[in-house]
């Protein structure tokens, strides 16, 4: 083969690559157009959004406010004898109960504010 035939083969290979890329682009764009059309038909089949009358409204008494309370854990039952062990059916879920003192615990002034860092704390 001579140089001219190699140039002709190279040109024809470039043309084939361009043609394949063009066909690939057409396939991708066709798939995107198909996906948009399917999405539009699915959206047309969905129910209409609710009207303002169907939207939820506040209760007659107004907004419901949050309730805060201080809770404390319940005690774990103790075994009758020290050598006796508790069985699973004797235990209950880790629950909590309402604390008698409903004042929130606050850090004392001058105490460590960084959980034992030894710093001067909050002033």
């Amino acid at each position: 083969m001579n140089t001219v035939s190699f140039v002709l083969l190279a040109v024809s290979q470039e043309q084939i690559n361009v043609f394949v890329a063009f066909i690939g682009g057409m396939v991708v764009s066709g798939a995107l157009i198909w996906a948009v059309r399917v999405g539009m038909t699915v959206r047309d089949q969905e129910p209409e959004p609710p009207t303002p009358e169907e939207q939820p409204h506040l209760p007659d008494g107004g907004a419901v406010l949050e309730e805060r309370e201080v809770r404390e854990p319940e005690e774990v039952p103790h075994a009758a004898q020290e050598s006796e062990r508790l069985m699973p059916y004797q235990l209950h879920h880790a629950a909590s109960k309402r604390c008698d003192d409903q004042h929130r615990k606050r850090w004392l002034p001058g105490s460590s504010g960084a959980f034992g860092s030894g710093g001067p704390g909050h002033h």
Side-chain angles (χ1 to χ4, degrees):
M1 290 182 101
N2 57 14
T3 308
V4 175
S5 61
F6 283 128
V7 170
L8 288 175
L9 285 175
V11 170
S12 65
Q13 185 65 31
E14 257 183 43
Q15 289 173 345
I16 291 174
N17 288 343
V18 168
F19 181 70
V20 168
F22 179 75
I23 296 299
M26 294 295 286
V27 168
V28 169
S29 62
L32 289 173
I33 291 171
W34 174 80
V36 168
R37 290 185 62 116
V38 167
M40 289 170 60
T41 56
V42 167
R43 187 165 183 181
D44 288 342
Q45 294 172 357
E46 291 178 353
E48 293 294 320
T51 62
E53 293 80 29
E54 296 172 340
Q55 297 287 337
H57 298 288
L58 283 174
D60 292 335
V64 178
L65 303 176
E66 69 180 42
E67 183 177 316
R68 291 186 182 193
E69 66 180 5
V70 178
R71 301 192 61 84
E72 63 182 359
E74 289 190 26
E75 293 292 323
V76 175
H78 296 285
Q81 298 174 357
E82 203 169 302
S83 62
E84 180 184 345
R85 81 181 172 138
L86 292 174
M87 301 305 287
Y89 58 85
Q90 294 172 316
L91 299 174
H92 49 77
H93 294 293
S96 62
K97 60 183 177 182
R98 188 172 195 275
C99 185
D100 294 333
D101 181 20
Q102 287 296 307
H103 296 290
R104 289 180 56 198
K105 308 270 189 287
R106 301 284 185 181
W107 289 105
L108 297 175
S111 68
S112 173
F115 298 106
S117 67
H122 179 67
H123 292 288

